[in-house]
Amino acid sequence: MPRPLRIAIGGIHIESSTFSPHLSTADDFTVTRGNALLARYDWLSPAQPWATDVDWVPVLHARALPGGAVDPEAYRLWRTEILDELVKAGPFDGMLLDIHGAMSVVGLDDAEGDLVTAIRSVLGPEPFVSAAMDLHGNVSPVLFAHTDLLTCYRTAPHVDVWETRERAARNLVDALRRGQRPHKALVHVPILLPGEMTSTRIEPARGLYARIPEIEARDGVIDTAIWIGFAWADEPRCRGAVVATGTDADATARAARELGEHFWAAREEFSFVAPTGSMDDCLDTALLATADPALRPFFISDSGDNPGAGGADDVTYALERLLARPQIRDGSVRAVYASLVDADAVAQIADLPIGSPVRVLVGGRVDPRDPGPLRLEGTLEAVAEDPAGGRCVSVRVGGLSVFVTSRRMQYSQLSSYRRLGIAVDEVDLVIVKIGYLEPELFDAAGDWLLALTPGGVDQDIERLPYKNLARPVFPLDRDFAADLTAVTG
Ligand SMILES: [Zn+2]
């Protein structure tokens, strides 16, 4: 009987914006090791047939909600632990890298490249490395050079996260059993777009990703993947990419070139997933629309400070515009604002009896941009413990419930609203710090607008002060010919 394959699993998973003043520290991460790490993967319990006769060795996995750039000390500690574990438990036949691909670390401009270089220095050149990534990650030349298989999600919103990790693991096992290092080809596509222009629910991203199964089914191709890239980090690696891997060098290079050309050819067709406007424009439309029951609840995404993309989660701009509306203050429109993070504000009022009058400054502590901390005067409506947000409160001002949380979180699920006593379908208007609506909210929404609000993940990327991007890149530059040559390996 052949000896089982030995495959290490680990990685650091975060999407972090260099334009957000938030610093992602060790406290923001959930770290798993040992059996808890193996338990992440449902294809291991019970093991799928392809995953048996493999020693899966958990190394370390650290994961956080998107945020600002990562504290370099936290990053170095985890990197060291990963390397130490690999030395201790090695040698290995392969490694599954479970990463996002858009981790910014203060002082580094290719964090995943740094991590994989360090991992290679310990693993040696022989083991195969397979990376499972988010399509909002970036593929730097260094990351590509040190991995043998790379793939990413094929849907946004991401509903194929676990399928992707399983595919990356299965392709790794298959390649090791074949005993042939895969051929690979990378085409960088000089396009940088906000995620909210590239939802696979709509064209052209839907059609672009729909080409993958046909191309992947060809002889000699193992996997093809398209990265949209990450627009909110000012790093040379941030741009679109296509990678194909395969058992035949020509078929692999052709697959990457073909998808890269389709991506580039579609560049002018990308547009926002929902109608957009300033916060005031969106409120004008929404406050008229809420008269029509079919359009309720009307959703507005406060997209520039979306914690799901790396925003600080405490910019008060949209809330201030909302509170300026008489229909909100006089209670003729019932609305929810979800949410602001402010642990101090929560601590000041959460122990008061429900119904108490409160007067408290909220938000604007991490990202103090205009208008900064805002005074809320209302009544304490609800207090709850949320698994993500910690202790949370709802403060009622006129017709508006303002949610304030102790930790950064995103109100992407209806159950989080219910914890603070709100059934979304019973209100007229929901303003939420998010980009495109996650599936539950999308299904609940009578209608929806994307407000191009200011913040660390401003969707109007032409307003961002980039200095280090590789140029030219569309749409910041428009009049140039793209070099879509495949880099192969
Ligand atoms: Zn993503």
Side-chain angles (χ1 to χ4, degrees), residues 13 15 66 100 133-137 153 155-158 161 195 229-230 308-309 436:
H13 185 121
E15 174 179 85
H100 181 289
M133 300 173 65
D134 187 305
L135 62 81
H136 297 119
Y153 312 151
T155 58
H158 309 314
V161 168
F230 188 58
Y436 46 65

